[in-house]
Amino acid sequence: MSRIKDALQKARQEPDRALWQRLIGDLMQNRKLEEKALAAYEQAFKLEPTNPEVLNNYAWLLLTSENLELRDPLSALTLARSAAALQPKGYILDTLATAYWANGLVEQAIQTERQAMAADMAQRRFYQAQIAKFSSQSYEESINGSGAENSELQ
């Protein structure tokens, strides 16, 4: 609990730093406080709209929220494209691939997941599993069938 208090205190002390809002968003998302996470990511995005970590984690929440009302795959795709253009790391490319998949762009999702694998070979098995998922079921089926997506922060 002290990490949340520390982040909140820092956010009050330095309200113009997107870092604190992103960290609050990450902590809230990890604790399944998704509406609070969304508010923190929105604030971080307003403060620093070209921060790839903010863009990525905001997009991930919009793709994987257990609260389906918070999901917004189209906005997530825009955010994820920007994040990947700024910092094409494996986990960011994975978010972009997931956003493509969520918007029915399966071929682009698979191609992007392969780019993620090339960027981060240590996570090869995870990316291969993502490709298999993208090939075998739709985003809508994943929501209706097995609930929320992998809730681990990127």
Side-chain angles (χ1 to χ4, degrees), residues 20-30 36-37 40-41:
W20 305 123
Q21 293 299 323
R22 181 185 60 84
L23 291 175
I24 290 168
D26 294 350
L27 290 167
M28 295 297 158
Q29 188 171 2
N30 278 333
K36 289 182 179 184
Y41 289 143

Side-chain angles (χ1 to χ4, degrees), residues 100-120:
Y100 279 135
W101 174 63
N103 284 281
L105 304 168
V106 176
E107 289 303 316
Q108 287 160 298
I110 292 169
Q111 179 183 1
T112 304
E113 203 66 42
R114 287 184 178 131
Q115 291 171 351
M117 194 180 328
D120 184 8

Side-chain angles (χ1 to χ4, degrees), residues 66-139:
E66 290 181 10
N67 179 347
L68 299 181
E69 292 178 13
L70 298 182
R71 290 194 184 198
D72 185 350
L74 191 56
S75 293
L77 180 57
T78 301
L79 294 164
R81 279 179 171 155
S82 296
L86 291 164
Q87 195 172 69
K89 292 183 176 180
Y91 67 96
I92 291 176
L93 291 167
D94 174 62
T95 300
L96 177 57
T98 303
Y100 279 135
W101 174 63
N103 284 281
L105 304 168
V106 176
E107 289 303 316
Q108 287 160 298
I110 292 169
Q111 179 183 1
T112 304
E113 203 66 42
R114 287 184 178 131
Q115 291 171 351
M117 194 180 328
D120 184 8
M121 289 299 288
Q123 297 297 320
R124 179 180 177 89
R125 287 186 182 192
F126 173 78
Y127 299 133
Q128 288 173 328
Q130 289 286 81
I131 290 170
K133 178 174 70 174
F134 299 160
S135 300
S136 66
Q137 74 179 147
S138 72
Y139 178 74

Side-chain angles (χ1 to χ4, degrees), residues 34 47 67 96 123 141 154:
E34 295 172 330
L47 292 169
N67 179 347
L96 177 57
Q123 297 297 320
E141 290 170 337
Q154 296 288 305

